[in-house]
């Protein structure tokens, strides 16, 4: 299998994982011009101070074989975070979403058979 086929397989796996945990998927493989791609955009409801807060989430899926030297989440380096941040900015601008809306950047890291949903994995980079 080529890298794109493998990536698509694990992005679909991550999407199903998020749905089973209550996320509402808005879009997958979102592209904004030539800035970059966001694997999964979704809403996640979180209880904060007794109230439900609906976060708009930008999820990056990373897969590594189990015997890799480092965990999948480490592949989301500074340049990748910057591309995701710029693409997310394009998304909220294009969709007329208030920049004050609660948002988060997550990583769905898949190492072999283990999946780790890292909420608020990084802050936007400009």
């Amino acid at each position: 299998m080529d890298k794109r086929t493998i990536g698509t397989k694990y992005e679909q796996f991550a999407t199903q994982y998020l749905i089973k945990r209550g996320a509402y998927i808005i879009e997958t493989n979102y592209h904004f011009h030539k800035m970059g791609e966001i694997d999964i955009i979704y809403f996640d409801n979180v209880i904060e101070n007794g109230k439900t807060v609906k976060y708009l989430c930008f999820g990056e899926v990373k897969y590594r074989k189990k015997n890799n030297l480092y965990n999948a989440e480490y592949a989301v380096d500074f340049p990748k975070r910057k591309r995701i941040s710029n693409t997310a900015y394009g998304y909220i601008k294009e969709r007329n979403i208030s920049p004050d809306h609660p948002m988060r950047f997550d990583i769905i890291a898949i190492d072999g058979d283990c999946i780790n949903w890292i909420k608020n994995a990084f802050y936007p980079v400009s």
Side-chain angles (χ1 to χ4, degrees), residues 36-83:
E37 177 196 18
I38 297 175
D39 294 329
I40 310 171
I41 301 173
Y42 52 97
F43 285 118
D44 184 36
N45 291 329
V46 177
I47 306 291
E48 293 180 354
N49 300 320
K51 295 181 181 179
T52 302
V53 179
K54 186 179 196 177
Y55 277 88
L56 175 61
C57 304
F58 302 97
E60 175 67 13
V61 178
K62 282 296 173 192
Y63 166 75
R64 293 292 180 263
K65 293 178 183 176
K66 190 173 181 103
N67 60 355
N68 205 312
L69 294 175
Y70 60 95
N71 292 341
E73 63 264 23
Y74 296 118
V76 185
D77 57 8
F78 181 82
K80 182 69 173 174
R81 292 190 310 266
K82 187 170 184 172
R83 279 192 304 278

Side-chain angles (χ1 to χ4, degrees), residues 21-38:
R21 280 148 188 81
Y24 176 80
I25 307 301
I26 300 168
E27 194 164 342
T28 58
N29 302 110
Y30 171 78
H31 292 267
F32 183 72
H33 302 290
K34 293 184 180 184
M35 282 189 183
E37 177 196 18
I38 297 175

Side-chain angles (χ1 to χ4, degrees), residues 95-114:
R95 301 293 196 281
N96 294 319
I97 298 169
S98 168
D100 295 329
H101 190 289
M103 295 179 211
R104 187 181 81 213
F105 292 84
D106 297 351
I107 298 173
I108 301 89
I110 305 168
D111 291 292
D113 296 333
C114 298

